[in-house]
Amino acid sequence: MLEALTRRPRPWLFAVLLALPFGVYANGYRHGFQLDDAYTLTTNPGVRSLANVPRYFVDPGTYTSVREQVDYRPVLQVTYAINYALGGYAMPWWHFTQILLHVAVTLGVFLFCRRVLELGAGKPSDAT
């Protein structure tokens, strides 16, 4: 087991991990905004300018156009503002960036699990 963990992952494995989220979510490019997207995105002027980004960290009211739904989620708001700046409300762009986030999480979980298995197998840490 230790021998398998000490080998570098093969490039094809990373290619599969990169492609998998795109394959899983491929049918979602034509879907529109749903449910809470109406008041957190399409009617919320706070996401339409990157100049609003600093306000996200101090004003929870920038999250939504419906005051009863106010929430403090500044990092999510930053991603919304970046999405809007790059593609407006073009749905394929929003889905593409969400899939890229899934790719990042997939690779992160893979690398984290690999590291945990290495430590469990008794491989010395590179940091020590």
Side-chain angles (χ1 to χ4, degrees), residues 75-102:
V75 175
L76 178 63
Q77 285 293 101
V78 170
T79 67
Y80 288 167
I82 292 170
N83 264 331
Y84 185 83
L86 294 173
Y89 286 123
M91 188 52 59
W93 178 258
W94 287 75
H95 285 300
F96 177 74
T97 57
Q98 291 302 309
I99 293 170
L100 287 179
L101 289 172
H102 280 82

Side-chain angles (χ1 to χ4, degrees), residues 10-121:
R10 302 215 186 329
W12 65 266
L13 181 57
F14 282 107
V16 168
L17 291 174
L18 286 170
L20 193 59
F22 283 97
V24 169
Y25 292 103
N27 69 342
Y29 280 101
R30 292 181 193 91
H31 295 197
F33 292 111
Q34 302 291 323
L35 305 171
D36 63 345
D37 294 338
Y39 55 84
T40 58
L41 297 174
T42 58
T43 62
N44 182 2
V47 301
R48 297 183 196 143
S49 172
L50 291 173
N52 293 326
V53 169
R55 288 186 50 219
Y56 301 156
F57 293 89
V58 294
D59 181 8
T62 59
Y63 179 70
T64 178
S65 60
V66 176
R67 293 301 144 217
E68 294 81 19
Q69 299 295 327
V70 169
D71 200 358
Y72 183 72
R73 301 175 76 180
V75 175
L76 178 63
Q77 285 293 101
V78 170
T79 67
Y80 288 167
I82 292 170
N83 264 331
Y84 185 83
L86 294 173
Y89 286 123
M91 188 52 59
W93 178 258
W94 287 75
H95 285 300
F96 177 74
T97 57
Q98 291 302 309
I99 293 170
L100 287 179
L101 289 172
H102 280 82
V103 167
V105 169
T106 299
L107 292 174
V109 168
F110 170 76
L111 294 172
F112 173 77
C113 290
R114 182 174 170 81
R115 184 67 177 146
V116 167
L117 290 172
E118 287 172 350
L119 292 173

Side-chain angles (χ1 to χ4, degrees), residues 1-8 114 118 123:
M1 171 101 172
L2 180 59
E3 181 181 310
L5 290 174
T6 57
R7 288 188 311 217
R8 292 180 56 103
R114 182 174 170 81
E118 287 172 350
K123 181 181 176 194

